Amino acid sequence: MHDEDGYFGENVAATYDESAADMFSPEAVEPAVGMLAELAGEGSALELGIGTGRIALPLAGRGVPVHGIDMSRAMVARLRAKPGGDAIGVTIGDFATTRVADTFTVAYLVFNTINNLTTQDAQVACFRNAAAHLKPGGCFVIEVGVPDLRRLPPGQTAVPFHISPTRWAFDTYDVATQAMSSNYVTIVDGHAAYESIPFRYVWPAELDLMARLAGLRLRDRWEGWSRTPFTSESPRHISVWEKPAA
């Protein structure tokens, strides 16, 4: 990682909203915002990895004061350019360790962003940082996919997830280290460009242990924002850990 904005520098920020258009649809955004607003209640919310404001802007529109932490100035610039974006406080820094001078009733980390922390130590630090920002009784919410390792036969390390005449995309997995990467080949005017973004996948039980180390306890886990039950077939989960009120 050579860019001060991390892996989400100007080259990613410039087209981020368009490349993730499905996640910006009302069907994807409104249930998430509804649950987070409910958890925030009369308090405020902290978004780790606020990005271009996909969740923060509509949540603030519900009357919830939102503050964000993000390393990418390029992504935050897109947030600032949107209506209402200049009213949301953002602290530039690594969300695993950066502190702000406030506490919140809910902190949240959505759209697989916990995986952007590529070591277990960083993920553990993120839970401790979130817990330190929570008021007693507050909640930490994570949305993340369940590792799709059942699609890997012995000896295979790559799983394609998009194939079209102008774009190929695939994930790679190292089951020994839990390292993975998303890889993209894009063809424009006959020229191919390659991009790779590293991640670290993490299991639900592993996240529960990280939460316990941070003094949090699991309150709820669902497959989606509409509170569908989480099962062994669920491709993702929404997990809510609570900071004890005492």
Side-chain angles (χ1 to χ4, degrees):
M1 183 170 59
H2 303 294
D3 195 308
E4 66 175 1
D5 285 349
Y7 296 106
F8 293 85
E10 181 60 32
N11 62 322
V12 174
T15 59
Y16 179 81
D17 289 13
E18 292 77 14
S19 66
D22 289 349
M23 295 301 294
F24 283 79
S25 69
E27 294 78 14
V29 171
E30 290 175 3
V33 170
M35 182 188 295
L36 293 169
E38 178 184 322
L39 291 171
E42 298 299 315
S44 56
L46 175 68
E47 179 165 4
L48 306 180
I50 194 170
T52 65
R54 181 180 71 94
I55 298 298
L57 286 169
L59 184 59
R62 293 275 193 104
V64 178
V66 181
H67 191 94
I69 300 175
D70 205 292
M71 180 181 290
S72 174
R73 292 168 174 83
M75 295 285 276
V76 172
R78 267 67 187 183
L79 162 66
R80 294 280 184 239
K82 296 177 181 179
D86 57 351
I88 295 178
V90 179
T91 300
I92 300 298
D94 181 348
F95 61 72
T97 56
T98 299
R99 293 292 305 274
V100 301
D102 204 350
T103 54
F104 305 84
T105 52
V106 64
Y108 61 96
L109 188 59
V110 296
F111 195 13
N112 298 319
T113 305
I114 185 67
N115 292 346
N116 289 119
L117 301 173
T118 57
T119 68
Q120 187 181 70
D121 285 346
Q123 291 171 344
V124 169
C126 178
F127 270 82
R128 287 177 171 151
N129 196 33
H133 282 100
L134 289 176
K135 297 178 184 294
C139 293
F140 182 34
V141 183
I142 283 183
E143 173 194 27
V144 65
V146 176
D148 200 9
L149 300 189
R150 287 187 296 181
R151 297 180 64 187
L152 283 177
Q156 182 174 323
T157 60
V159 176
F161 62 88
H162 180 88
I163 299 175
S164 73
T166 58
R167 197 176 199 217
W168 312 330
F170 58 94
D171 288 331
T172 63
Y173 295 87
D174 183 335
V175 297
T177 64
Q178 293 180 217
M180 64 174 292
S181 66
S182 291
N183 304 270
Y184 306 89
V185 178
T186 305
I187 300 174
V188 179
D189 297 329
H191 298 281
Y194 170 72
E195 180 180 17
S196 180
I197 300 177
F199 302 99
R200 181 184 186 272
Y201 67 80
V202 61
W203 300 98
E206 188 179 7
L207 291 170
D208 289 342
L209 183 55
M210 293 179 186
R212 186 178 300 180
L213 292 172
L216 306 176
R217 59 192 179 199
L218 182 66
R219 190 173 107 173
D220 292 296
R221 174 167 289 137
W222 300 286
E223 179 176 298
W225 294 104
S226 59
R227 295 179 170 87
T228 49
F230 178 75
T231 73
S232 59
E233 299 299 317
S234 297
R236 65 168 181 166
H237 60 98
I238 313 298
S239 294
V240 181
W241 297 274
E242 186 175 49
K243 185 173 185 175

